[in-house]
PDB file of all heavy atoms in Angstrom:
ATOM      1  N   MET A 122      -5.470 -17.341  22.468  1.00 89.00           N
ATOM      2  CA  MET A 122      -4.844 -17.430  23.781  1.00 89.00           C
ATOM      3  C   MET A 122      -3.429 -17.979  23.667  1.00 89.00           C
ATOM      4  O   MET A 122      -2.513 -17.478  24.336  1.00 89.00           O
ATOM      5  CB  MET A 122      -5.661 -18.326  24.701  1.00 89.00           C
ATOM      6  CG  MET A 122      -6.935 -17.664  25.204  1.00 89.00           C
ATOM      7  SD  MET A 122      -7.751 -18.594  26.517  1.00 89.00           S
ATOM      8  CE  MET A 122      -8.059 -20.163  25.778  1.00 89.00           C
ATOM      9  N   LEU A 123      -3.221 -18.980  22.829  1.00 89.00           N
ATOM     10  CA  LEU A 123      -1.902 -19.555  22.644  1.00 89.00           C
ATOM     11  C   LEU A 123      -0.940 -18.501  22.110  1.00 89.00           C
ATOM     12  O   LEU A 123       0.197 -18.409  22.523  1.00 89.00           O
ATOM     13  CB  LEU A 123      -1.966 -20.757  21.713  1.00 89.00           C
ATOM     14  CG  LEU A 123      -0.633 -21.447  21.407  1.00 89.00           C
ATOM     15  CD1 LEU A 123       0.008 -21.933  22.690  1.00 89.00           C
ATOM     16  CD2 LEU A 123      -0.859 -22.592  20.434  1.00 89.00           C
ATOM     17  N   SER A 124      -1.413 -17.676  21.181  1.00 87.00           N
ATOM     18  CA  SER A 124      -0.535 -16.624  20.602  1.00 87.00           C
ATOM     19  C   SER A 124      -0.173 -15.589  21.671  1.00 87.00           C
ATOM     20  O   SER A 124       0.833 -14.916  21.551  1.00 87.00           O
ATOM     21  CB  SER A 124      -1.202 -15.965  19.411  1.00 87.00           C
ATOM     22  OG  SER A 124      -2.313 -15.176  19.833  1.00 87.00           O
ATOM     23  N   GLY A 125      -0.973 -15.493  22.726  1.00 86.00           N
ATOM     24  CA  GLY A 125      -0.657 -14.583  23.808  1.00 86.00           C
ATOM     25  C   GLY A 125       0.301 -15.152  24.827  1.00 86.00           C
ATOM     26  O   GLY A 125       0.701 -14.496  25.776  1.00 86.00           O
ATOM     27  N   GLY A 126       0.668 -16.435  24.679  1.00 88.00           N
ATOM     28  CA  GLY A 126       1.678 -17.038  25.537  1.00 88.00           C
ATOM     29  C   GLY A 126       1.156 -17.843  26.705  1.00 88.00           C
ATOM     30  O   GLY A 126       1.928 -18.292  27.541  1.00 88.00           O
ATOM     31  N   LEU A 127      -0.163 -18.055  26.757  1.00 89.00           N
ATOM     32  CA  LEU A 127      -0.720 -18.818  27.888  1.00 89.00           C
ATOM     33  C   LEU A 127      -1.965 -19.561  27.435  1.00 89.00           C
ATOM     34  O   LEU A 127      -2.841 -18.993  26.807  1.00 89.00           O
ATOM     35  CB  LEU A 127      -1.063 -17.898  29.043  1.00 89.00           C
ATOM     36  CG  LEU A 127      -1.430 -18.547  30.359  1.00 89.00           C
ATOM     37  CD1 LEU A 127      -0.227 -19.288  30.918  1.00 89.00           C
ATOM     38  CD2 LEU A 127      -1.877 -17.510  31.354  1.00 89.00           C
ATOM     39  N   LEU A 128      -2.032 -20.865  27.744  1.00 89.00           N
ATOM     40  CA  LEU A 128      -3.169 -21.673  27.342  1.00 89.00           C
ATOM     41  C   LEU A 128      -3.398 -22.777  28.331  1.00 89.00           C
ATOM     42  O   LEU A 128      -2.466 -23.516  28.656  1.00 89.00           O
ATOM     43  CB  LEU A 128      -2.905 -22.283  25.944  1.00 89.00           C
ATOM     44  CG  LEU A 128      -3.896 -23.317  25.427  1.00 89.00           C
ATOM     45  CD1 LEU A 128      -5.257 -22.681  25.186  1.00 89.00           C
ATOM     46  CD2 LEU A 128      -3.387 -23.954  24.145  1.00 89.00           C
ATOM     47  N   ARG A 129      -4.618 -22.888  28.859  1.00 89.00           N
ATOM     48  CA  ARG A 129      -4.960 -24.016  29.746  1.00 89.00           C
ATOM     49  C   ARG A 129      -5.672 -25.048  28.888  1.00 89.00           C
ATOM     50  O   ARG A 129      -6.677 -24.781  28.254  1.00 89.00           O
ATOM     51  CB  ARG A 129      -5.854 -23.557  30.874  1.00 89.00           C
ATOM     52  CG  ARG A 129      -6.288 -24.738  31.701  1.00 89.00           C
ATOM     53  CD  ARG A 129      -6.270 -24.689  33.166  1.00 89.00           C
ATOM     54  NE  ARG A 129      -5.502 -23.745  33.888  1.00 89.00           N
ATOM     55  CZ  ARG A 129      -4.489 -24.093  34.689  1.00 89.00           C
ATOM     56  NH1 ARG A 129      -4.074 -25.341  34.721  1.00 89.00           N
ATOM     57  NH2 ARG A 129      -3.867 -23.207  35.391  1.00 89.00           N
ATOM     58  N   LEU A 130      -5.120 -26.290  28.877  1.00 88.00           N
ATOM     59  CA  LEU A 130      -5.701 -27.378  28.116  1.00 88.00           C
ATOM     60  C   LEU A 130      -6.873 -27.961  28.870  1.00 88.00           C
ATOM     61  O   LEU A 130      -6.990 -27.811  30.091  1.00 88.00           O
ATOM     62  CB  LEU A 130      -4.633 -28.445  27.846  1.00 88.00           C
ATOM     63  CG  LEU A 130      -3.431 -27.969  27.029  1.00 88.00           C
ATOM     64  CD1 LEU A 130      -2.347 -29.042  27.011  1.00 88.00           C
ATOM     65  CD2 LEU A 130      -3.835 -27.567  25.640  1.00 88.00           C
ATOM     66  N   PRO A 131      -7.781 -28.708  28.178  1.00 86.00           N
ATOM     67  CA  PRO A 131      -8.928 -29.305  28.868  1.00 86.00           C
ATOM     68  C   PRO A 131      -8.554 -30.241  30.008  1.00 86.00           C
ATOM     69  O   PRO A 131      -9.304 -30.395  30.963  1.00 86.00           O
ATOM     70  CB  PRO A 131      -9.636 -30.079  27.747  1.00 86.00           C
ATOM     71  CG  PRO A 131      -9.245 -29.380  26.502  1.00 86.00           C
ATOM     72  CD  PRO A 131      -7.843 -28.894  26.740  1.00 86.00           C
ATOM     73  N   ASP A 132      -7.378 -30.877  29.944  1.00 89.00           N
ATOM     74  CA  ASP A 132      -6.946 -31.761  31.035  1.00 89.00           C
ATOM     75  C   ASP A 132      -6.238 -31.019  32.159  1.00 89.00           C
ATOM     76  O   ASP A 132      -5.607 -31.595  33.019  1.00 89.00           O
ATOM     77  CB  ASP A 132      -6.087 -32.900  30.524  1.00 89.00           C
ATOM     78  CG  ASP A 132      -4.795 -32.408  29.864  1.00 89.00           C
ATOM     79  OD1 ASP A 132      -4.546 -31.176  29.881  1.00 89.00           O
ATOM     80  OD2 ASP A 132      -4.041 -33.234  29.352  1.00 89.00           O
ATOM     81  N   GLN A 133      -6.324 -29.684  32.142  1.00 88.00           N
ATOM     82  CA  GLN A 133      -5.782 -28.770  33.147  1.00 88.00           C
ATOM     83  C   GLN A 133      -4.287 -28.535  33.061  1.00 88.00           C
ATOM     84  O   GLN A 133      -3.735 -27.838  33.897  1.00 88.00           O
ATOM     85  CB  GLN A 133      -6.183 -29.189  34.558  1.00 88.00           C
ATOM     86  CG  GLN A 133      -7.668 -29.235  34.781  1.00 88.00           C
ATOM     87  CD  GLN A 133      -8.332 -27.886  34.403  1.00 88.00           C
ATOM     88  OE1 GLN A 133      -7.931 -26.848  34.874  1.00 88.00           O
ATOM     89  NE2 GLN A 133      -9.356 -27.942  33.568  1.00 88.00           N
ATOM     90  N   ARG A 134      -3.599 -29.100  32.066  1.00 89.00           N
ATOM     91  CA  ARG A 134      -2.188 -28.748  31.886  1.00 89.00           C
ATOM     92  C   ARG A 134      -2.100 -27.301  31.399  1.00 89.00           C
ATOM     93  O   ARG A 134      -3.042 -26.800  30.758  1.00 89.00           O
ATOM     94  CB  ARG A 134      -1.516 -29.666  30.878  1.00 89.00           C
ATOM     95  CG  ARG A 134      -1.363 -31.098  31.390  1.00 89.00           C
ATOM     96  CD  ARG A 134      -0.691 -31.973  30.379  1.00 89.00           C
ATOM     97  NE  ARG A 134      -1.563 -32.082  29.218  1.00 89.00           N
ATOM     98  CZ  ARG A 134      -1.211 -32.612  28.061  1.00 89.00           C
ATOM     99  NH1 ARG A 134       0.021 -33.079  27.882  1.00 89.00           N
ATOM    100  NH2 ARG A 134      -2.049 -32.693  27.064  1.00 89.00           N
ATOM    101  N   LEU A 135      -1.012 -26.637  31.713  1.00 89.00           N
ATOM    102  CA  LEU A 135      -0.846 -25.239  31.357  1.00 89.00           C
ATOM    103  C   LEU A 135       0.314 -25.082  30.378  1.00 89.00           C
ATOM    104  O   LEU A 135       1.422 -25.522  30.650  1.00 89.00           O
ATOM    105  CB  LEU A 135      -0.570 -24.424  32.640  1.00 89.00           C
ATOM    106  CG  LEU A 135      -0.477 -22.912  32.467  1.00 89.00           C
ATOM    107  CD1 LEU A 135      -1.830 -22.347  32.066  1.00 89.00           C
ATOM    108  CD2 LEU A 135       0.008 -22.263  33.724  1.00 89.00           C
ATOM    109  N   VAL A 136       0.031 -24.498  29.248  1.00 91.00           N
ATOM    110  CA  VAL A 136       1.042 -24.203  28.244  1.00 91.00           C
ATOM    111  C   VAL A 136       1.425 -22.727  28.415  1.00 91.00           C
ATOM    112  O   VAL A 136       0.550 -21.885  28.489  1.00 91.00           O
ATOM    113  CB  VAL A 136       0.500 -24.444  26.820  1.00 91.00           C
ATOM    114  CG1 VAL A 136       1.501 -24.044  25.770  1.00 91.00           C
ATOM    115  CG2 VAL A 136       0.090 -25.898  26.633  1.00 91.00           C
ATOM    116  N   PHE A 137       2.721 -22.453  28.487  1.00 89.00           N
ATOM    117  CA  PHE A 137       3.121 -21.063  28.680  1.00 89.00           C
ATOM    118  C   PHE A 137       4.361 -20.724  27.858  1.00 89.00           C
ATOM    119  O   PHE A 137       5.181 -21.583  27.571  1.00 89.00           O
ATOM    120  CB  PHE A 137       3.392 -20.774  30.166  1.00 89.00           C
ATOM    121  CG  PHE A 137       4.584 -21.518  30.715  1.00 89.00           C
ATOM    122  CD1 PHE A 137       5.811 -20.910  30.792  1.00 89.00           C
ATOM    123  CD2 PHE A 137       4.456 -22.837  31.147  1.00 89.00           C
ATOM    124  CE1 PHE A 137       6.924 -21.583  31.298  1.00 89.00           C
ATOM    125  CE2 PHE A 137       5.560 -23.519  31.659  1.00 89.00           C
ATOM    126  CZ  PHE A 137       6.793 -22.890  31.719  1.00 89.00           C
ATOM    127  N   GLY A 138       4.479 -19.479  27.501  1.00 88.00           N
ATOM    128  CA  GLY A 138       5.613 -18.989  26.723  1.00 88.00           C
ATOM    129  C   GLY A 138       6.523 -18.141  27.579  1.00 88.00           C
ATOM    130  O   GLY A 138       6.299 -17.924  28.764  1.00 88.00           O
ATOM    131  N   GLU A 139       7.588 -17.643  26.980  1.00 84.00           N
ATOM    132  CA  GLU A 139       8.596 -16.864  27.671  1.00 84.00           C
ATOM    133  C   GLU A 139       7.998 -15.639  28.347  1.00 84.00           C
ATOM    134  O   GLU A 139       8.431 -15.254  29.421  1.00 84.00           O
ATOM    135  CB  GLU A 139       9.672 -16.390  26.697  1.00 84.00           C
ATOM    136  CG  GLU A 139      10.594 -17.505  26.224  1.00 84.00           C
ATOM    137  CD  GLU A 139      11.646 -16.966  25.256  1.00 84.00           C
ATOM    138  OE1 GLU A 139      11.709 -15.734  25.049  1.00 84.00           O
ATOM    139  OE2 GLU A 139      12.367 -17.810  24.710  1.00 84.00           O
ATOM    140  N   SER A 140       6.995 -15.046  27.740  1.00 80.00           N
ATOM    141  CA  SER A 140       6.403 -13.826  28.305  1.00 80.00           C
ATOM    142  C   SER A 140       5.712 -14.107  29.663  1.00 80.00           C
ATOM    143  O   SER A 140       5.491 -13.188  30.422  1.00 80.00           O
ATOM    144  CB  SER A 140       5.400 -13.231  27.329  1.00 80.00           C
ATOM    145  OG  SER A 140       4.343 -14.116  27.094  1.00 80.00           O
ATOM    146  N   MET A 141       5.372 -15.341  29.940  1.00 83.00           N
ATOM    147  CA  MET A 141       4.638 -15.682  31.167  1.00 83.00           C
ATOM    148  C   MET A 141       5.521 -16.401  32.193  1.00 83.00           C
ATOM    149  O   MET A 141       5.071 -16.674  33.291  1.00 83.00           O
ATOM    150  CB  MET A 141       3.431 -16.561  30.851  1.00 83.00           C
ATOM    151  CG  MET A 141       2.430 -15.938  29.913  1.00 83.00           C
ATOM    152  SD  MET A 141       1.798 -14.356  30.488  1.00 83.00           S
ATOM    153  CE  MET A 141       0.845 -14.879  31.874  1.00 83.00           C
ATOM    154  N   GLU A 142       6.783 -16.672  31.867  1.00 78.00           N
ATOM    155  CA  GLU A 142       7.668 -17.442  32.765  1.00 78.00           C
ATOM    156  C   GLU A 142       7.802 -16.832  34.149  1.00 78.00           C
ATOM    157  O   GLU A 142       7.822 -17.535  35.146  1.00 78.00           O
ATOM    158  CB  GLU A 142       9.047 -17.618  32.147  1.00 78.00           C
ATOM    159  CG  GLU A 142       9.081 -18.686  31.094  1.00 78.00           C
ATOM    160  CD  GLU A 142      10.466 -18.880  30.508  1.00 78.00           C
ATOM    161  OE1 GLU A 142      11.380 -18.119  30.827  1.00 78.00           O
ATOM    162  OE2 GLU A 142      10.616 -19.814  29.712  1.00 78.00           O
ATOM    163  N   ARG A 143       7.846 -15.523  34.221  1.00 78.00           N
ATOM    164  CA  ARG A 143       8.079 -14.873  35.527  1.00 78.00           C
ATOM    165  C   ARG A 143       6.859 -14.973  36.426  1.00 78.00           C
ATOM    166  O   ARG A 143       6.950 -14.768  37.619  1.00 78.00           O
ATOM    167  CB  ARG A 143       8.466 -13.401  35.341  1.00 78.00           C
ATOM    168  CG  ARG A 143       7.419 -12.606  34.645  1.00 78.00           C
ATOM    169  CD  ARG A 143       7.881 -11.201  34.423  1.00 78.00           C
ATOM    170  NE  ARG A 143       6.898 -10.555  33.574  1.00 78.00           N
ATOM    171  CZ  ARG A 143       6.977  -9.343  33.155  1.00 78.00           C
ATOM    172  NH1 ARG A 143       7.998  -8.616  33.482  1.00 78.00           N
ATOM    173  NH2 ARG A 143       6.038  -8.815  32.381  1.00 78.00           N
ATOM    174  N   PHE A 144       5.683 -15.287  35.880  1.00 78.00           N
ATOM    175  CA  PHE A 144       4.458 -15.389  36.677  1.00 78.00           C
ATOM    176  C   PHE A 144       4.142 -16.816  37.105  1.00 78.00           C
ATOM    177  O   PHE A 144       3.206 -17.029  37.856  1.00 78.00           O
ATOM    178  CB  PHE A 144       3.260 -14.854  35.892  1.00 78.00           C
ATOM    179  CG  PHE A 144       3.435 -13.418  35.469  1.00 78.00           C
ATOM    180  CD1 PHE A 144       3.612 -13.082  34.141  1.00 78.00           C
ATOM    181  CD2 PHE A 144       3.409 -12.392  36.394  1.00 78.00           C
ATOM    182  CE1 PHE A 144       3.760 -11.770  33.742  1.00 78.00           C
ATOM    183  CE2 PHE A 144       3.561 -11.081  36.017  1.00 78.00           C
ATOM    184  CZ  PHE A 144       3.747 -10.773  34.694  1.00 78.00           C
ATOM    185  N   ILE A 145       4.908 -17.808  36.594  1.00 78.00           N
ATOM    186  CA  ILE A 145       4.568 -19.196  36.801  1.00 78.00           C
ATOM    187  C   ILE A 145       5.691 -19.896  37.564  1.00 78.00           C
ATOM    188  O   ILE A 145       6.863 -19.806  37.194  1.00 78.00           O
ATOM    189  CB  ILE A 145       4.320 -19.914  35.450  1.00 78.00           C
ATOM    190  CG1 ILE A 145       3.131 -19.265  34.772  1.00 78.00           C
ATOM    191  CG2 ILE A 145       4.074 -21.395  35.647  1.00 78.00           C
ATOM    192  CD1 ILE A 145       2.892 -19.735  33.352  1.00 78.00           C
TER     193      ILE A 145
END
C-alpha cells in the first residue's frame, strides 16, 4: 500500500505521496 502512495496508519494518520495529493 505504501508503494502505491497511500497508507493509513493504525492511529488513523494518513501517509500519502505525490500521486494522491490531488485527492487529499
Side-chain angles (χ1 to χ4, degrees):
M122 285 191 302
L123 179 59
S124 70
L127 190 65
L128 172 65
R129 175 136 340 246
L130 299 173
D132 62 3
Q133 299 307 306
R134 291 180 295 169
L135 185 67
V136 175
F137 66 96
E139 288 180 6
S140 63
M141 300 303 291
E142 282 181 354
R143 62 183 172 181
F144 302 110
I145 298 172

